[in-house]
Short mmCIF file of all heavy atoms in Angstrom, two decimals:
data_model
loop_
_atom_site.label_atom_id
_atom_site.label_comp_id
_atom_site.label_asym_id
_atom_site.label_seq_id
_atom_site.Cartn_x
_atom_site.Cartn_y
_atom_site.Cartn_z
N SER A 1480 -114.42 -117.65 48.75
CA SER A 1480 -115.03 -117.99 49.98
C SER A 1480 -116.50 -117.69 49.94
O SER A 1480 -117.40 -118.54 50.48
CB SER A 1480 -114.38 -117.29 51.15
OG SER A 1480 -113.10 -117.62 51.36
N GLN A 1481 -116.88 -116.67 49.25
CA GLN A 1481 -118.29 -116.28 49.07
C GLN A 1481 -119.03 -117.41 48.31
O GLN A 1481 -120.17 -117.74 48.66
CB GLN A 1481 -118.41 -114.97 48.42
CG GLN A 1481 -119.84 -114.51 48.23
CD GLN A 1481 -120.51 -114.15 49.46
OE1 GLN A 1481 -119.92 -113.68 50.38
NE2 GLN A 1481 -121.77 -114.58 49.69
N GLN A 1482 -118.42 -117.85 47.31
CA GLN A 1482 -118.98 -118.97 46.46
C GLN A 1482 -119.25 -120.27 47.39
O GLN A 1482 -120.25 -120.76 47.22
CB GLN A 1482 -118.00 -119.40 45.28
CG GLN A 1482 -117.86 -118.24 44.27
CD GLN A 1482 -119.10 -117.72 43.71
OE1 GLN A 1482 -119.99 -118.51 43.25
NE2 GLN A 1482 -119.32 -116.51 43.59
N ILE A 1483 -118.28 -120.54 48.17
CA ILE A 1483 -118.49 -121.64 49.15
C ILE A 1483 -119.48 -121.34 50.12
O ILE A 1483 -120.33 -122.18 50.40
CB ILE A 1483 -117.18 -122.08 49.75
CG1 ILE A 1483 -116.14 -122.44 48.69
CG2 ILE A 1483 -117.36 -123.18 50.82
CD1 ILE A 1483 -116.57 -123.54 47.79
N ARG A 1484 -119.65 -120.16 50.60
CA ARG A 1484 -120.78 -119.78 51.54
C ARG A 1484 -122.17 -120.01 50.86
O ARG A 1484 -123.04 -120.47 51.50
CB ARG A 1484 -120.59 -118.40 52.07
CG ARG A 1484 -119.60 -118.31 53.14
CD ARG A 1484 -119.69 -116.98 53.91
NE ARG A 1484 -119.19 -115.83 53.11
CZ ARG A 1484 -118.01 -115.48 52.88
NH1 ARG A 1484 -116.99 -116.08 53.55
NH2 ARG A 1484 -117.65 -114.39 52.11
N TYR A 1485 -122.24 -119.70 49.63
CA TYR A 1485 -123.38 -119.92 48.84
C TYR A 1485 -123.93 -121.36 48.82
O TYR A 1485 -124.99 -121.71 48.97
CB TYR A 1485 -123.40 -119.27 47.41
CG TYR A 1485 -123.36 -117.86 47.24
CD1 TYR A 1485 -122.54 -117.24 46.33
CD2 TYR A 1485 -124.21 -116.99 48.02
CE1 TYR A 1485 -122.60 -115.85 46.15
CE2 TYR A 1485 -124.18 -115.70 47.83
CZ TYR A 1485 -123.42 -115.12 46.98
OH TYR A 1485 -123.40 -113.70 46.84
N ILE A 1486 -122.80 -122.22 48.50
CA ILE A 1486 -123.04 -123.58 48.49
C ILE A 1486 -123.52 -124.11 49.86
O ILE A 1486 -124.44 -124.93 49.93
CB ILE A 1486 -121.75 -124.34 48.02
CG1 ILE A 1486 -121.59 -124.13 46.50
CG2 ILE A 1486 -121.90 -125.91 48.34
CD1 ILE A 1486 -120.33 -124.65 45.99
N GLU A 1487 -122.71 -123.70 50.89
CA GLU A 1487 -123.16 -124.18 52.25
C GLU A 1487 -124.60 -123.73 52.73
O GLU A 1487 -125.26 -124.49 53.30
CB GLU A 1487 -122.03 -123.72 53.19
CG GLU A 1487 -120.75 -124.41 53.07
CD GLU A 1487 -119.57 -123.99 53.97
OE1 GLU A 1487 -119.69 -122.71 54.32
OE2 GLU A 1487 -118.70 -124.71 54.15
N ALA A 1488 -124.92 -122.49 52.24
CA ALA A 1488 -126.24 -122.02 52.52
C ALA A 1488 -127.32 -122.78 51.75
O ALA A 1488 -128.38 -123.16 52.31
CB ALA A 1488 -126.36 -120.54 52.21
N GLU A 1489 -127.02 -123.16 50.47
CA GLU A 1489 -127.94 -123.84 49.62
C GLU A 1489 -128.16 -125.29 50.25
O GLU A 1489 -129.30 -125.77 50.28
CB GLU A 1489 -127.37 -124.04 48.25
CG GLU A 1489 -128.23 -124.85 47.33
CD GLU A 1489 -129.45 -124.02 46.87
OE1 GLU A 1489 -129.56 -122.86 46.95
OE2 GLU A 1489 -130.39 -124.77 46.49
N PHE A 1490 -127.18 -125.83 50.66
CA PHE A 1490 -127.21 -127.34 51.24
C PHE A 1490 -127.44 -127.33 52.74
O PHE A 1490 -127.61 -128.46 53.33
CB PHE A 1490 -126.05 -128.13 50.72
CG PHE A 1490 -126.04 -128.38 49.27
CD1 PHE A 1490 -125.32 -127.60 48.48
CD2 PHE A 1490 -126.84 -129.41 48.78
CE1 PHE A 1490 -125.25 -127.85 47.04
CE2 PHE A 1490 -126.80 -129.65 47.40
CZ PHE A 1490 -126.08 -128.87 46.54
N ASN A 1491 -127.31 -126.19 53.36
CA ASN A 1491 -127.45 -126.12 54.78
C ASN A 1491 -126.58 -126.88 55.56
O ASN A 1491 -127.05 -127.50 56.62
CB ASN A 1491 -129.04 -126.39 55.13
CG ASN A 1491 -129.37 -125.77 56.52
OD1 ASN A 1491 -128.82 -124.70 56.95
ND2 ASN A 1491 -130.33 -126.38 57.17
N THR A 1492 -125.40 -127.00 55.14
CA THR A 1492 -124.41 -127.80 55.81
C THR A 1492 -122.93 -127.32 55.44
O THR A 1492 -122.74 -126.96 54.26
CB THR A 1492 -124.47 -129.33 55.61
OG1 THR A 1492 -123.62 -130.02 56.51
CG2 THR A 1492 -124.30 -129.63 54.17
N PRO A 1493 -121.93 -127.38 56.36
CA PRO A 1493 -120.57 -127.14 55.84
C PRO A 1493 -120.02 -128.31 54.93
O PRO A 1493 -120.38 -129.37 55.12
CB PRO A 1493 -119.78 -127.02 57.23
CG PRO A 1493 -120.65 -127.60 58.29
CD PRO A 1493 -122.09 -127.77 57.72
N VAL A 1494 -119.31 -127.76 54.01
CA VAL A 1494 -118.67 -128.80 53.01
C VAL A 1494 -117.17 -128.92 53.27
O VAL A 1494 -116.64 -129.90 52.76
CB VAL A 1494 -118.96 -128.32 51.60
CG1 VAL A 1494 -120.41 -128.39 51.29
CG2 VAL A 1494 -118.42 -127.00 51.30
N PHE A 1495 -116.58 -128.05 54.03
CA PHE A 1495 -115.12 -128.18 54.42
C PHE A 1495 -114.92 -128.08 55.93
O PHE A 1495 -115.65 -127.39 56.56
CB PHE A 1495 -114.29 -127.07 53.69
CG PHE A 1495 -114.32 -127.15 52.24
CD1 PHE A 1495 -114.80 -126.23 51.46
CD2 PHE A 1495 -113.56 -128.19 51.63
CE1 PHE A 1495 -114.75 -126.15 50.11
CE2 PHE A 1495 -113.45 -128.33 50.27
CZ PHE A 1495 -114.13 -127.24 49.46
N LYS A 1496 -113.86 -128.79 56.36
CA LYS A 1496 -113.40 -128.55 57.75
C LYS A 1496 -112.08 -127.86 57.48
O LYS A 1496 -111.18 -128.28 56.79
CB LYS A 1496 -113.06 -129.94 58.41
CG LYS A 1496 -114.24 -130.79 58.72
CD LYS A 1496 -113.66 -132.07 59.47
CE LYS A 1496 -114.61 -133.18 59.09
NZ LYS A 1496 -114.08 -134.46 59.56
N ARG A 1497 -111.99 -126.68 58.16
CA ARG A 1497 -110.80 -125.84 57.95
C ARG A 1497 -109.87 -126.27 59.07
O ARG A 1497 -110.22 -126.17 60.25
CB ARG A 1497 -111.12 -124.31 57.98
CG ARG A 1497 -111.78 -123.87 56.67
CD ARG A 1497 -112.98 -122.98 56.92
NE ARG A 1497 -113.61 -122.59 55.66
CZ ARG A 1497 -114.71 -122.87 55.32
NH1 ARG A 1497 -115.48 -123.85 55.97
NH2 ARG A 1497 -115.29 -122.57 54.16
N ALA A 1498 -108.69 -126.64 58.68
CA ALA A 1498 -107.73 -127.19 59.64
C ALA A 1498 -106.38 -126.53 59.34
O ALA A 1498 -105.71 -126.92 58.43
CB ALA A 1498 -107.51 -128.72 59.44
N GLY A 1499 -106.13 -125.50 60.14
CA GLY A 1499 -104.86 -124.70 59.93
C GLY A 1499 -104.83 -124.08 58.61
O GLY A 1499 -105.73 -123.27 58.28
N ARG A 1500 -103.91 -124.38 57.72
CA ARG A 1500 -103.80 -123.84 56.42
C ARG A 1500 -104.45 -124.66 55.34
O ARG A 1500 -104.66 -124.23 54.31
CB ARG A 1500 -102.24 -123.74 56.04
CG ARG A 1500 -101.55 -122.72 56.92
CD ARG A 1500 -100.16 -122.54 56.48
NE ARG A 1500 -99.90 -121.03 56.63
CZ ARG A 1500 -99.50 -120.23 55.71
NH1 ARG A 1500 -99.31 -120.66 54.50
NH2 ARG A 1500 -99.26 -119.05 55.86
N GLY A 1501 -104.82 -125.90 55.75
CA GLY A 1501 -105.45 -126.77 54.75
C GLY A 1501 -106.93 -126.93 55.03
O GLY A 1501 -107.51 -126.37 55.96
N ILE A 1502 -107.64 -127.65 54.14
CA ILE A 1502 -108.99 -127.98 54.31
C ILE A 1502 -109.18 -129.43 54.05
O ILE A 1502 -108.51 -130.09 53.39
CB ILE A 1502 -109.82 -127.18 53.41
CG1 ILE A 1502 -109.34 -127.25 51.88
CG2 ILE A 1502 -109.87 -125.64 53.74
CD1 ILE A 1502 -110.22 -128.10 51.04
N LYS A 1503 -110.30 -129.94 54.71
CA LYS A 1503 -110.70 -131.32 54.40
C LYS A 1503 -112.25 -131.35 54.19
O LYS A 1503 -112.84 -130.49 54.77
CB LYS A 1503 -110.35 -132.14 55.66
CG LYS A 1503 -108.90 -132.38 55.93
CD LYS A 1503 -108.61 -133.31 57.08
CE LYS A 1503 -107.12 -133.55 57.30
NZ LYS A 1503 -106.89 -134.45 58.25
N LEU A 1504 -112.66 -132.19 53.35
CA LEU A 1504 -114.05 -132.33 53.08
C LEU A 1504 -114.80 -132.98 54.24
O LEU A 1504 -114.34 -133.89 54.88
CB LEU A 1504 -114.21 -133.23 51.84
CG LEU A 1504 -113.93 -132.60 50.50
CD1 LEU A 1504 -113.99 -133.67 49.48
CD2 LEU A 1504 -114.86 -131.55 50.15
N THR A 1505 -115.96 -132.55 54.47
CA THR A 1505 -116.94 -133.05 55.41
C THR A 1505 -117.46 -134.26 54.66
O THR A 1505 -117.30 -134.46 53.45
CB THR A 1505 -117.96 -132.17 55.90
OG1 THR A 1505 -118.71 -131.77 54.80
CG2 THR A 1505 -117.33 -130.94 56.62
N ALA A 1506 -118.30 -135.07 55.36
CA ALA A 1506 -119.00 -136.17 54.73
C ALA A 1506 -119.90 -135.54 53.64
O ALA A 1506 -119.96 -136.05 52.49
CB ALA A 1506 -119.86 -137.00 55.74
N ALA A 1507 -120.60 -134.51 54.00
CA ALA A 1507 -121.50 -133.84 52.95
C ALA A 1507 -120.79 -133.31 51.83
O ALA A 1507 -121.18 -133.43 50.65
CB ALA A 1507 -122.31 -132.71 53.65
N GLY A 1508 -119.55 -132.78 52.14
CA GLY A 1508 -118.67 -132.25 51.11
C GLY A 1508 -118.20 -133.31 50.14
O GLY A 1508 -118.11 -133.07 48.96
N GLN A 1509 -117.95 -134.53 50.64
CA GLN A 1509 -117.47 -135.67 49.83
C GLN A 1509 -118.62 -136.04 48.86
O GLN A 1509 -118.38 -136.32 47.66
CB GLN A 1509 -117.12 -136.80 50.66
CG GLN A 1509 -116.54 -138.03 49.87
CD GLN A 1509 -115.28 -137.57 49.14
OE1 GLN A 1509 -114.35 -136.99 49.60
NE2 GLN A 1509 -115.20 -138.13 47.86
N ILE A 1510 -119.83 -136.13 49.34
CA ILE A 1510 -120.93 -136.47 48.57
C ILE A 1510 -121.16 -135.37 47.46
O ILE A 1510 -121.25 -135.72 46.26
CB ILE A 1510 -122.23 -136.58 49.42
CG1 ILE A 1510 -122.16 -137.77 50.32
CG2 ILE A 1510 -123.51 -136.62 48.50
CD1 ILE A 1510 -123.25 -137.86 51.44
N LEU A 1511 -121.07 -134.16 47.89
CA LEU A 1511 -121.21 -133.03 46.91
C LEU A 1511 -120.15 -133.01 45.87
O LEU A 1511 -120.39 -132.85 44.68
CB LEU A 1511 -121.27 -131.73 47.61
CG LEU A 1511 -121.43 -130.45 46.66
CD1 LEU A 1511 -122.62 -130.57 45.88
CD2 LEU A 1511 -121.33 -129.20 47.55
N TYR A 1512 -118.88 -133.37 46.24
CA TYR A 1512 -117.83 -133.38 45.30
C TYR A 1512 -117.99 -134.46 44.24
O TYR A 1512 -117.84 -134.16 43.11
CB TYR A 1512 -116.50 -133.74 46.06
CG TYR A 1512 -115.39 -133.83 45.19
CD1 TYR A 1512 -114.82 -132.71 44.44
CD2 TYR A 1512 -114.72 -135.05 44.99
CE1 TYR A 1512 -113.68 -132.84 43.60
CE2 TYR A 1512 -113.59 -135.13 44.06
CZ TYR A 1512 -113.12 -134.09 43.38
OH TYR A 1512 -112.04 -134.21 42.60
N GLU A 1513 -118.43 -135.59 44.58
CA GLU A 1513 -118.67 -136.71 43.66
C GLU A 1513 -119.89 -136.33 42.72
O GLU A 1513 -119.78 -136.57 41.51
CB GLU A 1513 -119.08 -138.05 44.48
CG GLU A 1513 -117.81 -138.60 45.25
CD GLU A 1513 -118.12 -139.76 46.11
OE1 GLU A 1513 -119.43 -140.19 46.22
OE2 GLU A 1513 -117.27 -140.09 46.90
N LYS A 1514 -120.83 -135.76 43.33
CA LYS A 1514 -122.05 -135.36 42.40
C LYS A 1514 -121.65 -134.15 41.60
O LYS A 1514 -122.00 -134.12 40.35
CB LYS A 1514 -123.25 -134.95 43.26
CG LYS A 1514 -123.76 -136.14 44.16
CD LYS A 1514 -124.23 -137.23 43.42
CE LYS A 1514 -124.87 -138.35 44.33
NZ LYS A 1514 -125.35 -139.40 43.66
N ALA A 1515 -120.87 -133.26 42.06
CA ALA A 1515 -120.44 -132.10 41.22
C ALA A 1515 -119.57 -132.51 40.05
O ALA A 1515 -119.74 -131.98 38.90
CB ALA A 1515 -119.58 -131.12 42.16
N ILE A 1516 -118.68 -133.43 40.31
CA ILE A 1516 -117.85 -134.03 39.21
C ILE A 1516 -118.79 -134.58 38.08
O ILE A 1516 -118.60 -134.31 36.90
CB ILE A 1516 -116.84 -135.05 39.68
CG1 ILE A 1516 -115.80 -134.38 40.63
CG2 ILE A 1516 -116.27 -135.82 38.54
CD1 ILE A 1516 -114.84 -133.49 39.94
N SER A 1517 -119.78 -135.36 38.49
CA SER A 1517 -120.73 -136.01 37.53
C SER A 1517 -121.43 -134.89 36.73
O SER A 1517 -121.66 -134.97 35.57
CB SER A 1517 -121.68 -136.84 38.28
OG SER A 1517 -121.08 -137.96 38.86
N VAL A 1518 -121.93 -133.88 37.56
CA VAL A 1518 -122.78 -132.79 36.89
C VAL A 1518 -121.81 -132.00 35.84
O VAL A 1518 -122.30 -131.78 34.76
CB VAL A 1518 -123.29 -131.81 37.98
CG1 VAL A 1518 -123.77 -130.54 37.36
CG2 VAL A 1518 -124.38 -132.39 38.73
#
Side-chain angles (χ1 to χ4, degrees):
S1480 295
Q1481 182 66 40
Q1482 298 300 317
I1483 299 307
R1484 280 194 292 276
Y1485 288 140
I1486 287 174
E1487 291 176 335
E1489 179 72 24
F1490 292 96
N1491 200 29
T1492 187
V1494 293
F1495 292 116
K1496 292 180 210 170
R1497 284 135 181 113
R1500 296 186 140 237
I1502 51 110
K1503 293 186 179 186
L1504 286 170
T1505 63
Q1509 184 62 42
I1510 292 169
L1511 179 60
Y1512 177 70
E1513 292 168 9
K1514 300 296 182 180
I1516 293 292
S1517 296
V1518 166

